[in-house]
Amino acid sequence: MSSDKQRPEWVPEGADEKTFTTHVMGGVDGGHDGMPGQSVGNPHVRTRLKKRPRLSASDYIDGIRNQNRTILARAITLIESNAPAHQDLAREVLAALLPDAGQSVRVGITGVPGVGKSTFIEAFGMELCERGKHVAVLAVDPTSTVSGGSVLGDKTRMEKLSRCPEAFIRPSPAGGTLGGVARKSRETLMLCEAAGFDTILVETVGVGQSEVTVRHMVDFFLLLMLAGQGDELQGIKKGVIELADAIFVNKADGDNIPRAKAKRSELHSVMRFLQPATPGWKPIAGTCSAHTGEGVDDVWNTVERFVTTTQESGSFSRRRQKQEIEWMHTLIEEGLKAHFFAHPLVKQRLPEMEASIREGKATVAGSVEALLSEYTGQ
Ligand code: GDP
């Protein structure tokens, strides 16, 4: 993999690098970096920005297959675009690359803000790079905005990893809804796999249902926790523990080591009574320190053991297939919903229906029934 830019290439008018922390990975319709494969110009010289040529579907497909990061980044931007022309092109690129995807280990990582996710992912990612892995780090954060003001948007903390030529870090798409972010992240994950990344880390913070969403797109799910605080204090939602294939107590360093070990034992006893998240795999409780690096390799050893065990039992591929089918249903539901609410008949009838219901002139069930009949033409 060729190394790409490491500093923000572009900041909005009136912002500076500190407040706009997201690396801007090239636009889809003209932008400012060079031709594919060329290095990016000086980020501070905005006046030299020049328009980039558009890429065709085969430019994207060939570029990604050739592990060209600039093109990968532009393809992700294409996926994240809401413009219909971009979406058509993105679909074509994704369909062509489907056979190249799927060859990675997908690891989801969650934990409350402050637990050390960024620090851990940096240490973990570096460890994986040292082991010869190609690591892509993605984030799923439904609160993310274009200005990078989100909890997971600030990836400047992963400075060392972002300098590693074998790693690729992409902030959460600014999708608004969790569904929108999830679609874009799934497709980004596929593109990263097609570009040769063999380990995909998907980071999320527990906003809404984001842990569940990420659980549905990864093979292995890691929960990071802290010692010395009740689970309620850590904002761990009921059920998140049940999603995890491993729980590691982070910050197991210095004076905190005994507390971390006690927490691990406590988790170990609790987890014995829980239904495992993955059939045939007993969830693991461990300790690690993202600062000292102690235990970070245990996490990877656990992932490797998990992959071997579940591939042998068949539950690895069964989960992947199930995830694809669930994803298909999700997209059908989203598509139907979008079509329904955009339909002129529905747009016209809904306010009338709402008024009638408010005034007590119609029942909810009756009104809905009538609208659906009209919509489906029955
Ligand atoms: P995030 O919000 O979950 O991404 O957490 P961060 O990675 O930003 O870490 C939050 C704070 O915890 C930072 O001040 C880190 O330096 C600190 N931190 C992270 N990991 C460790 C660790 O293993 N040990 C100690 N002592 N501090 C840590």
Side-chain angles (χ1 to χ4, degrees):
M1 297 256 161
S2 59
S3 179
D4 219 357
K5 58 268 172 190
Q6 309 302 342
R7 313 178 61 178
E9 306 146 26
W10 176 87
V11 289
E13 289 297 330
D16 59 24
E17 273 187 28
K18 285 200 190 76
T19 54
F20 189 80
T21 52
T22 304
H23 286 267
V24 176
M25 301 291 201
V28 287
D29 218 2
H32 61 280
D33 67 13
M35 284 291 288
Q38 288 180 347
S39 65
V40 178
N42 183 337
H44 304 292
V45 185
R46 282 185 221 162
T47 47
R48 283 197 321 167
L49 303 188
K50 59 177 191 267
K51 202 152 168 74
R52 289 183 309 192
R54 284 172 188 235
L55 298 180
S56 67
S58 57
D59 291 333
Y60 281 113
I61 295 161
D62 295 345
I64 289 171
R65 285 202 180 118
N66 291 328
Q67 310 189 340
N68 180 315
R69 277 164 185 251
T70 306
I71 293 194
L72 171 63
R74 285 182 67 175
I76 297 173
T77 308
L78 190 71
I79 278 175
E80 291 175 354
S81 164
N82 291 323
H86 293 160
Q87 288 181 353
D88 288 347
L89 189 55
R91 257 194 297 276
E92 192 182 341
V93 171
L94 282 165
L97 290 172
L98 182 65
D100 301 86
Q103 299 302 319
S104 77
V105 176
R106 305 166 182 171
V107 178
I109 299 173
T110 193
V112 295
V115 72
K117 288 182 299 301
S118 293
T119 318
F120 173 82
I121 289 171
E122 168 139 284
F124 191 53
M126 294 302 290
E127 164 86 26
L128 295 180
C129 289
E130 273 163 31
R131 291 183 185 224
K133 303 278 178 205
H134 291 102
V135 185
V137 180
L138 313 179
V140 170
D141 177 0
T143 64
S144 62
T145 62
V146 174
S147 65
S150 61
V151 183
L152 299 180
D154 181 1
K155 289 298 159 209
T156 50
R157 287 171 295 169
M158 293 187 201
E159 257 175 61
K160 251 172 35 198
L161 187 60
S162 65
R163 279 198 298 273
C164 169
E166 312 304 341
F168 178 82
I169 301 177
R170 182 81 185 186
S172 179
T177 65
L178 179 56
V181 173
R183 180 182 67 76
K184 293 166 185 175
S185 301
R186 266 180 188 264
E187 293 173 352
T188 296
L189 187 151
M190 248 190 73
L191 288 187
C192 289
E193 288 179 343
F197 289 97
D198 52 32
T199 314
I200 317 278
L201 308 182
V202 186
E203 178 187 9
T204 191
V205 69
V207 175
Q209 286 289 298
S210 65
E211 296 108 333
V212 177
T213 301
V214 171
R215 169 74 269 188
H216 284 297
M217 63 173 89
V218 296
D219 306 309
F220 182 93
F221 197 61
L222 170 70
L223 170 62
L224 292 178
M225 286 184 84
L226 294 174
Q229 289 176 313
D231 295 348
E232 321 76 51
L233 280 180
Q234 294 195 35
I236 302 287
K237 279 178 274 175
K238 207 166 171 277
V240 173
I241 288 180
E242 284 154 322
L243 299 177
D245 295 305
I247 303 179
F248 272 73
V249 183
N250 190 32
K251 307 197 185 181
D253 42 50
D255 295 348
N256 206 28
I257 293 176
R259 273 198 299 273
K261 285 189 172 162
K263 181 78 186 176
R264 181 192 57 196
S265 307
E266 184 193 319
L267 284 168
H268 187 72
S269 342
V270 171
M271 286 156 79
R272 276 190 312 171
F273 299 106
L274 298 178
Q275 173 95 355
T278 305
W281 173 258
K282 246 176 72 193
I284 301 294
T287 59
C288 63
S289 165
H291 269 184
T292 66
E294 187 85 24
V296 171
D297 56 343
D298 287 346
V299 179
W300 183 246
N301 294 337
T302 305
V303 174
E304 283 195 319
R305 238 172 355 98
F306 173 90
V307 172
T308 311
T309 311
T310 55
Q311 278 181 343
E312 276 170 7
S313 72
S315 69
F316 188 92
S317 56
R318 274 198 298 277
R319 167 177 272 141
R320 287 255 176 125
Q321 286 162 1
K322 196 167 156 234
Q323 287 175 340
E324 287 295 298
I325 302 296
E326 281 167 354
W327 184 232
M328 182 190 81
H329 284 282
T330 305
L331 288 190
I332 290 175
E333 280 167 32
E334 279 180 10
L336 282 176
K337 214 165 127 182
H339 185 271
F340 178 80
F341 285 109
H343 198 285
L345 172 84
V346 177
K347 279 187 167 169
Q348 186 208 325
R349 288 277 193 281
L350 268 185
E352 298 166 5
M353 277 169 66
E354 284 172 13
S356 305
I357 289 167
R358 259 197 306 270
E359 291 161 21
K361 290 185 185 156
T363 64
V364 171
S367 311
V368 170
E369 177 87 42
L371 177 65
L372 288 179
S373 299
E374 249 192 290
Y375 172 70
T376 56
Q378 285 161 6

